[in-house]
Structures are given as C-alpha cells and as structure tokens.
C-alpha cells in the first residue's frame, strides 16, 4: 500500500492518493483513510487509528490487518512529507 499527500502552505492536507493491491477491505481502508486526512493538519492526520477505520467500515476480525496497513500508509506518507520539508533533519539525527 502506497499513499501520497499534498499539503498546502497552511499545513493542511489538500489531497491524498493511494495505490493498493489486495482485497476489497484493503481498498476500502485505503480509500477511507485518504478521505479522512483531507482538510486535516499533518498532526491531526497522525491521530487517525486503524481501530477507527475498522469500526467505520465494520471490518470483521480477519480483515483488521487491512485497516492497520492503511494507518501505516498514512504515517509513512506523512513521514515522507516531513522529510521532504527538512531533509537535513534526518542527517542531524544520525
């Protein structure tokens, strides 16, 4: 699962995209996650949890990993965004 976010000059997410392969639950989780992050700040988007996604979609226990992948994709996309905003920060942390 791959996600991308576009953030405006005010720090709000204006667009989000995903590319996923898998079952309908994985696609639905990714789609819901992208809709939920739009309009939020990066910090607000990081508060979205897989349990919220699973509850909203009424995912059965056997499909909970799909919502976990969606949460991980959000976090990865936002980490990538933050890194691109300050590429020297990672070097300083090493």
């Amino acid at each position: 699962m791959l996600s991308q976010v576009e953030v405006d000059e005010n720090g709000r997410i204006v667009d989000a995209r995903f590319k996923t392969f898998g079952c309908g639950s994985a696609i639905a989780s990714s789609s819901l996650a992208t809709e939920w992050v739009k309009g939020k700040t990066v910090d607000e988007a990081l508060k979205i949890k897989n349990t919220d996604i699973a509850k909203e979609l009424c995912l059965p226990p056997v499909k909970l990993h799909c919502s976990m992948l969606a949460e991980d994709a959000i976090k990865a996309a936002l980490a990538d965004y933050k890194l691109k905003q300050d590429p020297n920060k990672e070097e300083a942390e090493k």
Side-chain angles (χ1 to χ4, degrees):
M1 189 175 302
L2 170 70
S3 288
Q4 297 174 327
V5 293
E6 180 182 339
V7 181
D8 69 12
E9 63 278 352
N10 298 318
R12 293 233 173 245
I13 299 169
V14 294
D15 197 13
R17 297 177 193 92
F18 73 95
K19 186 183 290 188
T20 190
F21 300 98
C23 65
S25 296
I27 295 167
S29 294
S30 300
S31 179
L32 181 63
T34 59
E35 289 303 312
W36 276 2
V37 300
K38 291 177 187 174
K40 290 186 173 17
T41 65
V42 171
D43 290 335
E44 290 169 342
L46 285 170
K47 293 178 184 175
I48 295 173
K49 299 295 176 203
N50 70 294
T51 51
D52 301 325
I53 295 168
K55 184 176 179 181
E56 180 71 20
L57 295 174
C58 300
L59 294 178
V62 72
K63 293 294 183 177
L64 291 180
H65 65 281
C66 297
S67 63
M68 290 179 210
L69 291 172
E71 180 184 342
D72 290 345
I74 292 170
K75 289 179 180 177
L78 296 174
D80 182 60
Y81 164 76
K82 286 182 175 184
L83 179 62
K84 288 178 179 174
Q85 296 307 300
D86 190 4
N88 295 326
K89 183 177 183 181
E90 185 176 274
E91 287 298 318
E93 292 176 354
K94 287 184 180 178

